[in-house]
Amino acid sequence: MRFAPPNPLRIADRASGLNSLSVRSHNERLVLSLLLQSEATTRLEIGEKTGLSAQTISVIVRSLEQEGLVVRGEAQKGRVGPPTTPLMLNSEGAYSVGVSVGYRNTHIAVVDFIGNVQHQRVMPHKTADTFDAPEALAIEIHQAIAGLSESRQARVAGVGLALPTPPIRSGPDHDVLHRYLEAELRLPVFVQNDITAAAGGESLFGTARQLQDFLFFYLGARLHGRLVLNHQIYNGNSPLSYDVGVLALERALPAGDPSAARLWEQHPSWPPMGPALADWQQACAESLIKSTQALLQFIELKTVLLSSFVPPEICIALCKLVQQEIPFVNAVVGRTSVAPKAVGAASLPFSSRFMVN
């Protein structure tokens, strides 16, 4: 299968208020997986890629159309033979909530079936590296879902939790938080490591949608990496990260510098920071380059993908530095710049309930 997302810690399907989106057959998941990975696909292409018969495909497509998960595009003319009608996911067919517990903030994102962010909320932490407000989080999720119309609320497939490993310094145990939210929200909750979730979000919704193999980096408080081979995300044997992230830049700024607070907020650009920013960018780029070069000794890769909540211009500059040093590798910026880990978390219910694992 083109995209096999990482298995969440909890992956079993179960019926919720969304009865039509409960347990699906393998063939239905196969078709939905193809549609999730491409903007439009014809019945003929589905048959070529899956080996399913035309009759089976027609039955599945008809069922998915009736459920509102799939819609037809405009007929494609100008080819030999009769016009072909592409099939695509209905963006309003399902919704998901993603939650990412970070170093300074907890992000909540509601996304539609094709990854568009419908609502976003931010919960600042009282102090860095702490999270002690599961009750407030449940309220924020309820309010985020309430931002959808009543008919769309009925199509929420679940909640994804992107949590750091190891857990942040102060906060509830992952299993405790998972069980609490599931009981409070009355929705299935799926848990995954935050960096792995971000990589999965880019694979499902973002720049890596058509990539089979790539090296994924997430630039947050620290710099983290994941290897993706044949659409499988590999975590490695330890939660290794590099101290060249936003936290390192914050430490490098003079005490009381007002720019420090803006580092953790989503802005289109950062204010001038003088030599501190240039030195930090160089150190971050060196870590990206060294990690990539070390891996290339064993595996042939053509793409390095950098995802982050920092301004796109910063990520673009870092990718250019990597490209200059390793010209045969394509260094690209992730598409999901609005709360990437939360959007990745939102992909978990979709991958668990609709895709072939």
Side-chain angles (χ1 to χ4, degrees):
M1 197 60 240
R2 195 211 75 85
F3 172 60
N7 289 337
L9 301 182
R10 177 190 183 283
I11 198 168
D13 280 335
R14 76 175 192 192
S16 66
L18 199 58
N19 292 327
S20 62
L21 303 183
S22 56
V23 180
R24 316 207 69 87
S25 73
H26 175 80
N27 288 344
E28 284 181 320
R29 286 175 173 264
L30 204 56
V31 172
L32 286 169
S33 296
L34 286 174
L35 294 174
L36 277 164
Q37 76 186 36
S38 58
E39 294 183 0
T41 304
T42 65
R43 283 179 168 82
L44 179 60
E45 290 170 334
I46 292 174
E48 291 174 346
K49 294 177 180 178
T50 64
L52 297 175
S53 69
Q55 181 179 3
T56 299
I57 293 171
S58 294
V59 171
I60 291 173
V61 169
R62 190 180 306 115
S63 173
L64 296 177
E65 285 180 319
Q66 290 173 350
E67 294 180 35
L69 296 176
V70 171
V71 294
R72 302 185 189 192
E74 295 184 4
Q76 299 175 347
K77 301 179 181 179
R79 298 182 177 183
V80 177
T84 57
T85 302
L87 301 168
M88 59 192 71
L89 292 179
N90 178 8
S91 62
E92 299 181 355
Y95 295 85
S96 177
V97 182
V99 178
S100 169
V101 178
Y103 181 77
R104 295 276 189 183
N105 303 299
T106 290
H107 290 268
I108 302 164
V110 179
V111 306
D112 64 21
F113 208 13
I114 59 175
N116 296 320
V117 177
Q118 301 296 307
H119 300 283
Q120 183 192 4
R121 306 176 75 89
V122 180
M123 290 178 58
H125 297 172
K126 292 180 180 179
T127 55
D129 200 25
T130 63
F131 176 78
D132 56 1
E135 297 85 1
L137 175 58
I139 293 172
E140 289 284 346
I141 295 173
H142 274 303
Q143 292 177 346
I145 295 175
L148 298 171
S149 66
E150 188 173 341
S151 61
R152 292 178 177 179
Q153 290 179 36
R155 303 189 75 82
V156 174
V159 177
L161 279 179
L163 301 176
T165 307
I168 58 178
R169 186 177 61 204
S170 174
D173 178 80
H174 288 180
D175 288 339
V176 172
L177 179 61
H178 168 211
R179 290 195 297 269
Y180 171 78
L181 289 178
E182 202 157 49
E184 285 293 315
L185 301 172
R186 297 185 180 181
L187 286 169
V189 176
F190 304 86
V191 181
Q192 184 56 268
N193 168 266
D194 55 351
I195 308 304
T196 303
E202 280 293 343
S203 293
L204 193 61
F205 300 133
T207 304
R209 201 174 185 184
Q210 301 299 328
L211 296 178
Q212 178 171 316
D213 306 316
F214 62 97
L215 182 56
F216 175 85
F217 288 102
Y218 182 80
L219 177 59
R222 297 172 66 89
L223 179 67
H224 304 260
R226 292 290 185 270
L227 175 63
V228 181
L229 294 176
N230 195 27
H231 315 295
Q232 295 281 353
I233 302 173
Y234 293 90
N235 300 354
N237 294 324
S238 63
L240 179 65
S241 62
Y242 302 93
D243 189 19
V244 291
V246 178
L247 187 58
L249 175 57
E250 182 184 54
R251 291 197 305 264
L253 295 175
D257 191 321
S259 301
R262 293 193 61 181
L263 296 178
W264 304 97
E265 301 170 357
Q266 290 185 323
H267 292 284
S269 62
W270 279 343
M273 290 179 244
L277 178 58
D279 292 344
W280 170 78
Q281 278 188 304
Q282 188 61 42
C284 188
E286 288 176 1
S287 289
L288 289 167
I289 291 166
K290 289 179 181 178
S291 297
T292 303
Q293 289 175 329
L295 188 64
L296 289 174
Q297 296 182 55
F298 305 97
I299 300 173
E300 182 179 351
L301 290 173
K302 296 181 179 179
T303 306
V304 171
L305 192 153
L306 178 62
S307 174
S308 182
F309 65 87
V310 306
E313 62 184 24
I314 301 296
C315 292
I316 292 171
L318 289 170
C319 285
K320 286 182 177 179
L321 291 172
V322 173
Q323 194 89 53
Q324 290 172 6
E325 191 67 26
I326 317 175
F328 55 88
V329 167
N330 186 26
V332 297
V333 178
R335 193 196 78 170
T336 309
S337 59
V338 177
K341 292 192 290 186
V343 172
S347 74
L348 297 175
F350 291 157
S351 60
S352 297
R353 302 193 66 176
F354 299 113
M355 298 187 71
V356 174
N357 297 310

